[in-house]
C-alpha cells in the first residue's frame, strides 16, 4: 500500500497531478472537493449543507467532512493505496485520518505539498473557472478567502506530518510533466 496526501493551496495542481499519479501507481484518488460537488449535484442533504460553506470559500465542518471521507475509504478496502486530495485540511482531520488508517494497520507514507505563488494561484483558478462551472472559481473575493483559509487552518497540517519527517515541499511552478517528475521521484522512493 502507498498512502499519499497531495497537499497545497487551492489551484496548486493537486487534481491534475493526482490523475497522473493514479495512472502510474493505480491508487484510488479521493478528493473531498469532488465528493462534495457530487453530493451538491444530486441535491442530497449533505450536498445542501456543504454548499452553504463552499460558496463562501469556507471549510465544511469537520464532523461532516470526516464522516464522508471515512465512508469512501471504508467502501474501497481492496486498493493499491489512496491519494488524499484536499483532505486533511485541519489538524483535527489529520488526526482523524491517522486513526482511521491505524484501525486498518495503515499509515500515511508521505505528504507532498505543491508550492505555488499566490498570484499564480489566482490566475490559475480564474482560468479554470471559465470551464469548471464552479461558482467558487469565478469570484476573486471567494478565491482570496480560500487562500486565507489555507494559510490559517490548513498549512499547519504540513507541520503536523513534518514532525514524523513525512512532509515534502515540492516546487509546483512550471510545466505539468516537470512537476510530475518531482512528485514521482518522492513516490518511487517509498
Ligand atoms: P477543492 O475542490 O479541494 O478546492 O474544495 C472545494 C471546497 O470544498 C473547499 O473550498 C471547501 O469549502 C470544501 N472542502 C473540500 N475539502 C474539504 C475538507 N477536507 N474540509 C473542509 N472543507 C472542504
Amino acid at each position: 500500500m502507498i498512502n499519499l496526501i497531495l497537499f497545497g493551496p487551492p489551484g496548486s495542481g493537486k487534481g491534475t497531478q493526482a490523475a497522473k499519479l493514479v495512472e502510474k501507481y493505480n491508487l484510488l484518488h479521493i478528493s473531498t472537493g469532488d465528493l462534495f460537488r457530487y453530493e451538491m449535484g444530486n441535491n442530497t442533504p449533505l450536498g445542501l449543507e456543504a454548499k452553504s460553506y463552499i460558496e463562501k470559500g469556507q471549510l465544511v465542518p469537520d464532523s461532516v467532512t470526516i464522516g464522508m471521507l471515512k465512508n469512501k475509504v471504508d467502501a474501497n478496502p481492496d486498493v493499491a493505496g489512496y491519494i488524499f486530495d484536499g483532505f486533511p485540511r485541519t489538524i483535527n482531520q489529520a488526526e482523524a485520518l491517522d486513526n482511521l488508517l491505524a484501525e486498518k494497520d495503515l499509515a500515511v507514507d508521505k505528504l507532498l505539498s505543491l508550492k505555488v505563488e499566490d498570484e499564480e494561484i489566482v490566475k490559475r483558478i480564474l482560468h479554470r473557472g471559465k470551464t469548471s462551472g464552479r461558482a467558487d472559481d469565478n469570484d476573486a473575493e471567494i478565491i482570496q478567502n480560500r487562500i486565507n483559509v489555507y494559510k490559517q487552518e490548513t498549512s499547519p497540517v504540513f507541520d503536523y506530518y513534518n514532525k514524523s519527517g513525512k512532509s515534502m515541499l515540492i516546487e509546483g511552478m512550471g510545466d505539468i510533466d516537470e512537476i510530475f517528475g518531482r512528485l514521482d521521484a518522492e513516490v518511487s522512493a517509498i
Side-chain angles (χ1 to χ4, degrees), residues 70 73-74 77 82 99-106:
K70 188 173 176 337
V73 173
D74 286 345
Y82 302 97
N99 290 337
L100 170 64
L101 293 177
E103 279 169 21
K104 303 173 194 298
D105 279 325
L106 300 174

Side-chain angles (χ1 to χ4, degrees), residues 32-33 36-37 54 58-60 65 86-87 89 93 134 136 146:
T32 41
F36 283 132
R37 283 183 286 277
I54 293 175
Q58 297 170 353
L59 293 185
V60 179
T65 307
F87 185 96
R89 264 176 156 100
Q93 290 181 15
R134 287 176 55 171
D136 63 341
R146 290 164 65 196

